[in-house]
Amino acid sequence: MDELAHAAQIDPLAFRLKNLSDARLQAVLEAAAKSFGWPRKKTQEGQGFGIAGGLEKGGYVATCAEVAVDRSSGAVRVVRMTTAFECGAIVNPDGLRNQVIGANIQGLGGALFESIEFANGRITNPRFSRYRVPRFRDLPEIEAVLLDRKDIPSAGAGETPIMAVAPAIGNAIFHATGTRLRALPMIPNGLAPARS
């Protein structure tokens, strides 16, 4: 979606809203964007912003992400994520908020660096000491925006909140660098440093 918006030279959120007929998906995109302060202008080199959204199992999600990329070292840091989520009527708001934030943390690892590594038909990182998962130092500021729809029966929130994390981060990396990453994890060893 972002590639089409880029080709059309339209803001990614505006492009989505212009071509979207699903009111629930529109609502989460607008809620995430409003809370995040979309559109954001770059204030420093290597800064980028991305947005993504989707639906699954009766839940609707949108995530906005801010990244900071150091092109000399290739380091990528997710600075901030805002996720709006709607799964019908909310029964347990604290539990749901924790689920959404947990999904953001889990999605961060899968998006950036988590992968099972193989050599000669064997797993080379079978223990957590060698398998990279998100640590406290990796965590950005995370905000969960919950949309309560009392008029719609509750749906599960188990997997859906994770869906938009990787694409939002990928879109933010593209915004920061002009590099489109198409495989997960996107930066297990960082981006290739800029050549001088």
Side-chain angles (χ1 to χ4, degrees):
M1 197 59 67
D2 264 49
E3 291 181 65
L4 294 171
H6 183 74
Q9 298 181 344
I10 299 174
D11 172 81
L13 174 63
F15 185 82
R16 283 171 172 81
L17 296 176
K18 180 179 179 177
N19 293 287
L20 186 61
S21 60
D22 188 319
R24 292 173 72 188
L25 187 53
Q26 180 178 346
V28 291
L29 284 163
E30 289 173 337
K34 180 179 179 184
S35 189
F36 187 77
W38 189 280
R40 303 277 301 265
K41 299 291 183 202
K42 293 182 187 183
T43 59
Q44 57 193 338
E45 184 71 24
Q47 186 178 41
F49 306 102
I51 190 168
L55 61 131
E56 179 70 27
K57 299 180 181 177
Y60 290 74
V61 65
T63 297
C64 294
E66 176 184 349
V67 299
V69 179
D70 181 340
R71 289 309 303 255
S72 62
S73 69
V76 176
R77 183 173 56 89
V78 179
V79 176
R80 182 174 172 224
M81 290 193 297
T82 299
T83 295
F85 185 64
E86 185 262 290
C87 59
I90 297 175
V91 176
N92 180 346
D94 288 338
L96 182 59
R97 185 173 313 282
N98 290 332
Q99 179 67 37
V100 172
I101 291 171
N104 275 250
I105 294 168
Q106 185 177 8
L108 181 73
L112 298 180
F113 41 73
E114 280 190 51
S115 81
I116 298 173
E117 299 167 1
F118 295 90
N120 301 318
R122 300 189 76 135
I123 297 173
T124 61
N125 61 342
R127 292 178 287 287
F128 279 128
S129 61
R130 301 205 40 205
Y131 182 86
R132 177 86 162 86
V133 295
R135 295 176 174 89
F136 282 121
R137 69 175 180 259
D138 300 313
L139 300 185
E141 176 186 333
I142 300 173
E143 179 185 12
V145 178
L146 306 179
L147 282 68
D148 192 4
R149 293 288 307 267
K150 297 294 188 198
D151 58 317
I152 299 172
S154 300
E159 289 87 15
T160 308
I162 202 171
M163 292 176 50
V165 172
I169 292 171
N171 291 334
I173 291 171
F174 175 78
H175 185 239
T177 66
T179 300
R180 182 67 69 186
L181 303 173
R182 301 184 187 283
L184 297 180
M186 290 183 271
I187 54 149
N189 303 305
L191 283 172
R195 293 193 173 124
S196 35

